[in-house]
Each structure stands twice: as structure tokens, then as C-alpha cells.
Amino acid sequence: MSSSNNTPSCDGWLAVPSGPCCRKGTLHKGTPRGQFVTVAELDTYLSRPRRRQSNGHILLYFPDVWGMFPNGLLVMDAFADAGYLVLGVDYFRGDPVWKHRRNRHDRSNPDFDYEAWKKKHMKFADEAVPRWIDEVKRTYGLPSTKYACVGYCFGAPYVCSELAKNTVNAGAFAHPAFLKNHHFANIKKPLYLSCSEEDHTFDQDSRRTALQILQAGKKTYHLQLFSGVEHGFALRGNMDNAYERECCSL
């Protein structure tokens, strides 16, 4: 995807737009314990920490193209178990990709235009996420509250956008998509990158370019790189596979 001079060759993308590998995976087992509320006119999953576990801080969750599906809800509950009040935004407005195609081999809806679907929802999310965050802070935050954010695939650029502001203290993404040079060059706060060694959206050359940008800008970051897993491992890994399960939990 990148040329020999480390200049990305695909319209300037480092982590390219999501593709077929984003439409596969397995469903996890468990019952989500959070609830849906409305924040800035958007459906939002809210998961509260156990009373004695609360650290007083808020985690913002930006989903992948599967949206508010069981795996994501359970992951948010796990973050709440770590002490955070967790809020996840449904910027797909009830229209996740799995309603059109269950996986990359599903051709039951031949009229589904994945590229048009991505374009429509990214345009909306770009506008909606900032006002959603503002409303989260007004409704749930206190002067003492600290914020973190995490995004998966489609959600990665919103992590980087907030790290470029003064909204959050730290952010993380896993198997990212839709990232360009400026997403790394502009961050001001620590970034945690959780990546799979084989990933068409963020391949080895692109990771190297991203690290060069982070290092040149003296950014604070940590890269976690897993072998033996693919794009989507952090949300849609096979929990019956001990190694994939371990990767999801780290």
C-alpha cells in the first residue's frame, strides 16, 4: 500500500477505508448489562461501573461497522468493570453493516452498496461525534472527570481527532481504518495502537509510516502488535480459539 519512500499510494490513506475483512467474525457469548439512552439525539449505550469499582472517569466508545452488536456491548461492559462510566455512540443510527451483509461472503442482498453505506455514515458521524461528546460532558461529566476514548476500525479517526484537542487524556484504537498522516501528526495526548500483523487496512508499511510520524513529532504512544490474528480480532475474534481469546483480552 505504501511506496518505497513511505508515501501512501492509496489516496493518502495510512489506514485505508474498511473493506471485506471488516464484515466477518464471530459473536461472543454473554448478556449485556448496560442500557440505551439518548445523548445529543443519538442512541447511546451506557454501562456503569459497579458502585465500589468506580474511578470517577468516563470512557468514550466509537464502534466499528458492526455498530451496537453484542460483542461491542460486552466490551463496553468490561471497560465499565474496570471502573469507567462508558458511553458508546451509535453513529450508524440503527443501520449497522450486518443488517445488509452478515459476512463478506453474504450475497443475499445484491443491491447493497457498501461504499455508499460507508460514505453516508462517515459524513454523518463526522458531524455528529463532536456534539455528542459535548453533550456527554455536560450531562455526565464533573469538573474532576477525566476522559479516555477507544475506537475500532471505523471509529479510529474519532479517537485521533479527540487526541488532537483537549477533550481526552488518552486514547486507543484497534485494527484501524480511515486514517491519514494528519491523524498521527496532530495528536497531543497518548495513543495506544492495538494491531494485527496481517491487516489490509493498516499493513506493515503503513504502520511504519505512522510510527515515523509519531516519533518525529515526539508523541507519546505504545504499539501492540499481534501475530496470528486478522483485522477485527479485538471485537470479533473466535473466543473458542485460546490464542484469539487471549489477544482480545489484552
Side-chain angles (χ1 to χ4, degrees):
M1 189 180 70
S2 300
S3 64
S4 59
N5 64 359
N6 289 321
T7 301
S9 60
C10 183
D11 297 326
W13 295 110
L14 282 184
V16 302
S18 54
C21 68
C22 304
R23 303 195 299 271
K24 66 177 182 178
T26 59
L27 290 179
H28 298 175
K29 298 176 182 178
T31 302
R33 61 176 176 81
Q35 64 183 114
F36 280 94
V37 298
T38 301
V39 177
E41 301 181 347
L42 291 171
D43 282 344
T44 299
Y45 186 74
L46 173 67
S47 187
R48 297 183 181 275
R50 314 288 184 184
R51 181 172 299 177
R52 295 183 180 180
Q53 294 176 325
S54 176
N55 60 25
H57 304 310
I58 291 176
L59 182 87
L60 309 171
Y61 176 95
F62 304 118
D64 74 343
V65 295
W66 283 53
M68 297 290 111
F69 75 123
N71 298 19
L73 305 185
L74 292 169
V75 165
M76 283 186 270
D77 289 346
F79 286 131
D81 287 340
Y84 293 92
L85 175 67
V86 183
L87 293 106
V89 58
D90 182 13
Y91 35 51
F92 301 117
R93 294 168 289 170
D95 183 39
V97 74
W98 58 262
K99 287 192 173 181
H100 305 280
R101 285 185 182 171
R102 292 285 177 173
N103 55 61
R104 62 178 175 170
H105 303 297
D106 182 1
R107 296 293 181 266
S108 60
N109 183 5
D111 296 326
F112 175 54
D113 187 337
Y114 184 49
E115 297 304 315
W117 180 91
K118 285 190 295 188
K119 183 177 180 180
K120 176 182 72 172
H121 288 300
M122 176 160 278
K123 180 179 179 180
F124 176 81
D126 286 349
E127 179 275 326
V129 166
R131 61 180 172 84
W132 177 80
I133 293 174
D134 288 343
E135 185 63 28
V136 167
K137 294 176 70 175
R138 281 193 296 268
T139 304
Y140 297 95
L142 297 171
S144 59
T145 303
K146 294 181 180 180
Y147 298 86
C149 61
V150 61
Y152 298 84
C153 185
F154 187 99
Y158 305 109
V159 170
C160 293
S161 293
E162 297 313 310
L163 291 176
K165 306 174 187 176
N166 292 312
T167 310
V168 299
N169 293 82
F173 61 58
H175 41 82
F178 295 99
L179 294 179
K180 295 190 175 184
N181 291 42
H182 70 85
H183 287 107
F184 298 96
N186 294 341
I187 67 170
K188 301 175 183 177
K189 303 295 176 63
L191 171 65
Y192 183 82
L193 307 85
S194 186
C195 305
S196 53
E197 186 176 35
E198 298 296 329
D199 187 344
H200 92 282
T201 68
F202 197 42
D203 66 9
Q204 179 173 278
D205 286 344
S206 292
R207 289 193 302 270
R208 286 174 175 168
T209 300
L211 293 181
Q212 288 172 357
I213 295 169
L214 292 169
Q215 291 164 355
K218 299 187 183 304
K219 312 296 183 180
T220 300
Y221 72 93
H222 179 80
L223 172 67
Q224 183 184 46
L225 184 63
F226 293 102
S227 64
V229 292
E230 299 177 326
H231 182 95
F233 74 94
L235 275 184
R236 289 173 274 112
N238 180 4
M239 294 297 95
D240 293 329
N241 180 303
Y243 177 69
E244 290 192 34
R245 184 172 65 251
E246 180 180 2
C247 292
C248 288
S249 65
L250 293 176

